[in-house]
Amino acid sequence: MTTGLIPGEQPPDPRPTGALPHQRHEPVGQAALHVDNRSRSSVITARAAASFEPLGRSVASARSFVRDTLQGWGFADIIDDAVVLTSELVTNAVVHAGTAADVLCLRSEEGVRIEVADRYPEREIPLQGSPVNMGSPDREGGRGLQLCAALAGRWGVEYTPTQKQVWFQLALPGRPVGARAAGPMLPADLLPLADGRVRVAVVQIDRIGAITAWNEDAEELFGYAAEQVTGKPLTDLAAWPHTPGTGTGIADALRLSRWEGSYGIRGANGRVNSVYASHLRVRDTTGEPSTVCLLVRDHERAVLQSPMRIPVTDTGTAEGQNADPFEVFIGSPAPDDLDGLLQRTVERARDMLDGDSAFLLLATDDETELEVRASTGLPSARQRFARVPVEGGPGRYGSARMPAVHEDLSAVPGAVPLLSGTGMRSVVTVPLKVEGRLTGSLGVAAEGPGRYSNEEALRLQFAADRIALAVESARLGELERLRRGSLSFLVEASDLLAGTLDRDQTLALMAQMTVPTLATWCAVYTIADQASEPYLSYVLHEDEELIDGIKSLLSKVPPPDPVPTPGARVWRAPGEAAHRAALRSSMRSLGLSGGPTHQFSSSIGPTLATASAVGGETVVLPLVARNRVIGMLTLGKPTDEHFRQEILELAEDLSRRAALALDNARLYSERTAISQALQRSLLPPELPEIEGVEVEVIYRAAGEGNEVGGDFYDLFPIRDGAYGFAIGDVCGTGPNAAAVTGLARHALRLLAREGLSGPAVLERLNSAILDEGARSRFLTLLYGELWPQADGSALLKVVCAGHPLPLRLRQDGTVEPAAEPQPLLGVMEDLELYEQTVTLDPGDVLLCVTDGVTERREGTRMLGDDGLSDVLTTCTGLTAGAVAARIMRAVERFASDAPSDDMAILAMRVPGLHKD
């Protein structure tokens, strides 16, 4: 995938020269195309483009691309609709059309326009004004256009000779207009003091913390020229107030999306200048992140500092003010998305109580666990989505339901598990409740002990009561969006799993649907039977270079126990094994294991990368089908990451569907193997080589998966110098006809080797077929005996019992029947059959076929005996193999449809004696 983001650029119209005017569909119910000649009059303020290969996983990548782009533009309100539409349109391109897909996102004042183009050149361009049938919503075809009509404000289709482009435009929701903050008019003597001209240092920091830009005000404030500091880490100049290892360090602050506060900058004269800073995380057109730092003298902080809200001390004070208590705490306007609201909440709570960190946890539906959703001043990447129990068990969060103040956590270790190892000493926590039900917990912590009392707890509780309902409402909205996305995901997964009965492909689909949508890596274990151990069958990681390392690591770890209990359970063995492997590699690289270090230096990189990849939370879900555990689905996260509860619930739903699909594939494979083994047993072994006679057989059974049908053939030695041959057709096709086929072929061999004549062999076979009773079927059969002669000819004695007559091709090109028709078998008890003698001269060919050849149809036309004779006439001088191949080619070309009847062709040719 290639992407590009160019803020502020107004691109040219992306339609190629010669393209039709983009067409706009009317709302549902008016199925007609109309020309929309309106141009894009609004200014394009940003664009993002990406190309995706024609692979199944590209659909998920396209969804992520659009989601990240709109999230970065701040359009969370329309993300879900945009992702759904993009998913459908990209699926049409990369899955159905089988071409690469180009996705273009355009931002303007009117809204967001997204264009999806494929490169499918063979396409009929619809005439303007012609009716358009977009199909049923239950079918794959046309569903993307129906969704565009339902969700988009404007949409259309553009065609060129080389591509098709579908675009849609989503309008932005209305936002309240007005100032976010304003201060009162003040007398001049009350305004903040500034030393002469206010200087604002602008410093830009790259992703590794090095200075890349340093303006003139920075030179004036700190005494360094730009060339002196460019490329140096900001940490070399900054005097950070916090103790390293506790709280938020400068490196962490530079990685936050926004940060505001005070610290010091060491000037060229060696003195530390106190500054007030505002940091903003941005990325350039190539997606490279950097941080822009605005710095002023600390006493001039009013230039940059966000206005502080008046803290609310009690309910009476709040009720006496005109301002909404919720907006007093959160600010106006409130964030629209849940994550933004939670992050704003913890930042305001930290500022309100002058803390070093704050955190917010949300309760699960059953209120038994709390899940970390937002934090500030803590290593959030390690803690996000971590879960702790509320009531009992190790690591319980006992202070969740009531306000609590801990003056010194070192005296009560484990009271707040989230703060373990962070250096925080004092903490105040309050519950979030809606109608008496616990919905979450809010906490503020400080590095020093004894910082908080009941007064701070009451203030924080008052604020928590004001935001609890808004948080719960946003959470329910997020859950609804997740459920809608989950339903779409499960429908797509069910379609994919139902579309294959191949075991290996089912395993691959299981893994590809979970990575990276649900997990960073996935492993599938299968269990052959109840006595077998779980076997590692498939491993997938979003980074293909790590797959082999994870597979090697998991092969050394005992597999998880096949517990049938539904739900995900944590599996710690991979993370522990990865930690041990990384530790051993690090010690060896440092020469601490007693051996030479150069032997291990090349492998330490992959080992540490593998350890990081599987070092996070790993869960196992059982694959249960038909009351039996047939495997386990293992999902994992990289170091210090956790699964969301909603993701685990979705994974559990997926595992149930995947287990049934995997078991169906297993049963199908087993039954197919049994069927193929039984069918192959009905086919004759390799044909014997007959000196002086060329023999070729072509056999085609009708029906998918059938190797044997109602037609059969055989060629076998009877005694020295004599061979028996047969070609027959049992009434019907499929397994029932194949059963009679097996009876006839084996009976022929036994009776012929008893020394019976041809008529006697067929009369006894007729009796055996009639003895089958209701299972018997009538049978046409051509049976003969062959004796190669010393003069290069061959003597044949044949009996044709209701079968298409054998044809004899002479060297001069004439074709004639080689036998006369007689009654078929399986109908009458008393048969009077006779045999006929035929001599094949050198160069002659005897062709025997079943009625699937002569009755090949195309509409009302049929190949017939005459058509077969005409084709055989052209085979003079050909070998037996060439004759059989030409006949089969003519039969296949006679009609375009697949054959509906079994076909067998037996060709025998006498080449004659070779003279030296």
Side-chain angles (χ1 to χ4, degrees), residues 110-159:
E110 294 183 356
V112 172
R113 174 180 171 125
I114 297 179
E115 302 174 356
V116 179
D118 63 45
R119 304 167 189 173
Y120 186 54
E122 300 178 4
R123 184 187 308 278
E124 180 180 357
I125 300 179
L127 297 177
Q128 298 178 10
S130 61
V132 177
N133 180 14
M134 293 187 294
S136 166
D138 297 327
R139 300 179 59 233
E140 285 290 328
R143 190 169 62 189
L145 300 183
Q146 286 188 327
L147 285 175
C148 286
L151 300 179
R154 294 176 56 199
W155 67 281
V157 185
E158 298 177 359
Y159 290 91

Side-chain angles (χ1 to χ4, degrees), residues 9-15 40 44 47 104 106:
E9 181 185 19
Q10 182 175 0
D13 193 317
R15 290 175 290 174
R40 301 178 197 156
I44 304 300
R47 69 189 295 267
L104 175 64
L106 301 174

Side-chain angles (χ1 to χ4, degrees), residues 367-404:
E367 302 181 23
T368 60
E369 287 185 316
L370 291 170
E371 185 178 66
V372 180
R373 292 300 302 269
S375 65
T376 180
L378 296 173
S380 57
R382 176 170 64 89
Q383 302 292 348
R384 187 167 169 81
F385 301 123
R387 293 179 299 279
V388 292
V390 174
E391 301 295 350
R396 70 184 183 89
Y397 194 30
S399 58
R401 297 190 182 276
M402 296 292 291

Side-chain angles (χ1 to χ4, degrees), residues 29 31 40 91 152 183 190 234 273 318 528 562 622 636 673 688 700-701 721 731 739 888 907:
R40 301 178 197 156
T91 299
L190 296 180
L234 181 63
N273 302 285
R700 297 285 189 274
C731 174
M888 177 56 72

Side-chain angles (χ1 to χ4, degrees), residues 796-812:
L796 291 81
K797 293 183 178 181
V798 296
V799 181
C800 187
H803 199 77
L805 300 179
L807 298 179
R808 176 181 180 179
L809 172 65
R810 295 184 181 274
Q811 278 190 308
D812 58 3

Side-chain angles (χ1 to χ4, degrees), residues 201-217:
V202 181
V203 182
Q204 191 160 0
I205 312 298
D206 63 15
R207 68 186 309 162
I208 63 173
I211 298 173
T212 59
W214 184 270
N215 72 342
E216 294 179 358
D217 280 358

